Amino acid sequence: KTIHQFDWTWATKITRPQIQKLCHQDFVAKRANVVFISGVGLGKSHLMTALGYAACQRGHSVLFTGAIDIINTLATAHAAGGLKKALAAYVKPEVLCIDELGYLPIDKFGADCLFQIISHRYERGATLLTTNRPYKQWAGIFDNDATLTSALLDRLLDHVETVVIEGKSYGGHAHAEVGGLVAVGHHLHLRHPHLVVAIHVGDDARGRRQDEQPLDDITQFAHIARPVVALKGGQRVISDRPSREA
């Protein structure tokens, strides 16, 4: 995805000159950060991807990943005794793009890991983030640890450009939580302490959307959708459809 493919007409609030200035890539040289804050389906992941892609074209090292993917990867590395090396992989790139921070709850281990990454990247590399939560709600993301959240924000916001986007979801589907699932656009995410699952919602035999089915058991998934990604113990165990950007 590139900046030229972005639909500027959809959002009711978006500062186009601010984003166009970011396209000059000055934030990379300054080792500054960019945080995109909006609801689901307003293009924040598209814009972050576009900036990362532009940085790649200029020869910078760029890593794209999701917040939950980072935690799953580091949990696996920690179990294998390789946490330090795994953390270094997120500190090294000139540009680190972290998608969907705040969509799923993060335990203390995950909060500590993300803090270490942000802390070690401070004035060493540019970090781009997408989130659905304003800064005042970030303690709720990081295991309700106000001290850790304050320290993280102190480093992140010291050199930051905050992009706020407002409007209705482009996909037309509201963010809803049903039972143990969180519905995000056309995907559902299962909240479970050892399993993170994303499924693409399809239509039933009569062509009706089924993204609000109250599901509490993973065995029910097969009745409404095909799995996209399932991560268990940090390992990708199902992956047969691409994920849709928020």
Side-chain angles (χ1 to χ4, degrees):
K1 293 182 177 181
T2 68
I3 197 69
H4 303 292
Q5 297 171 318
F6 187 73
D7 183 359
W8 297 98
T9 64
W10 187 259
T12 57
K13 178 183 177 182
I14 186 169
T15 308
R16 186 168 181 171
Q18 177 190 28
I19 296 169
Q20 290 175 324
K21 184 178 179 181
L22 287 170
C23 291
H24 296 159
Q25 299 283 304
D26 293 341
F27 66 90
V28 180
K30 294 177 180 179
R31 299 178 176 85
N33 309 309
V34 183
V35 178
F36 294 91
I37 303 175
S38 82
V40 174
L42 290 172
K44 58 186 178 295
S45 294
H46 183 144
L47 291 172
M48 182 183 72
T49 301
L51 291 179
Y53 178 69
C56 284
Q57 289 184 310
R58 297 192 179 199
H60 299 295
S61 58
V62 179
L63 175 61
F64 296 84
T65 186
I68 297 300
D69 290 332
I70 291 176
I71 296 168
N72 284 330
T73 298
L74 294 180
T76 300
H78 178 62
L83 181 59
K84 184 177 181 179
K85 182 178 179 181
L87 278 168
Y90 296 107
V91 177
K92 184 178 180 180
E94 293 176 85
V95 181
L96 175 64
C97 299
I98 304 175
D99 201 19
E100 297 189 336
L101 177 67
Y103 283 87
L104 292 173
I106 295 173
D107 61 11
K108 186 180 187 306
F109 173 80
D112 289 345
C113 286
L114 290 175
F115 171 76
Q116 289 187 60
I117 291 170
I118 298 299
S119 180
H120 283 95
R121 289 187 59 80
Y122 177 64
E123 296 188 336
R124 296 182 184 178
T127 302
L128 280 60
L129 284 159
T130 69
T131 181
N132 61 336
R133 300 201 194 184
Y135 296 126
K136 64 182 180 180
Q137 296 179 8
W138 277 30
I141 298 175
F142 295 101
D143 198 39
N144 292 310
D145 189 331
T147 301
L148 179 146
T149 304
S150 178
L152 182 147
L153 287 174
D154 183 61
R155 290 160 176 78
L156 183 70
L157 303 185
D158 191 30
H159 309 289
V160 72
E161 189 81 30
T162 302
V163 179
V164 178
I165 309 172
E166 296 178 0
K168 293 183 178 180
S169 170
Y170 192 85
H173 296 277
H175 178 267
E177 185 171 343
V178 183
L181 293 168
V182 177
V184 181
H186 289 184
H187 291 79
L188 296 177
H189 299 268
L190 175 67
R191 288 186 172 178
H192 187 281
H194 304 298
L195 183 68
V196 178
V197 177
I199 62 173
H200 180 86
V201 178
D203 300 336
D204 66 8
R206 299 180 182 179
R208 298 173 300 186
R209 300 301 300 178
Q210 297 198 11
D211 49 344
E212 295 184 358
Q213 293 269 348
L215 303 179
D216 296 308
D217 189 328
I218 191 171
T219 60
Q220 298 180 31
F221 285 3
H223 297 297
I224 71 158
R226 292 178 58 196
V228 180
V229 175
L231 298 170
K232 186 174 183 180
Q235 299 300 311
R236 188 177 298 268
V237 295
I238 301 174
S239 180
D240 63 359
R241 291 189 64 167
S243 177
R244 179 180 180 272
E245 295 287 349

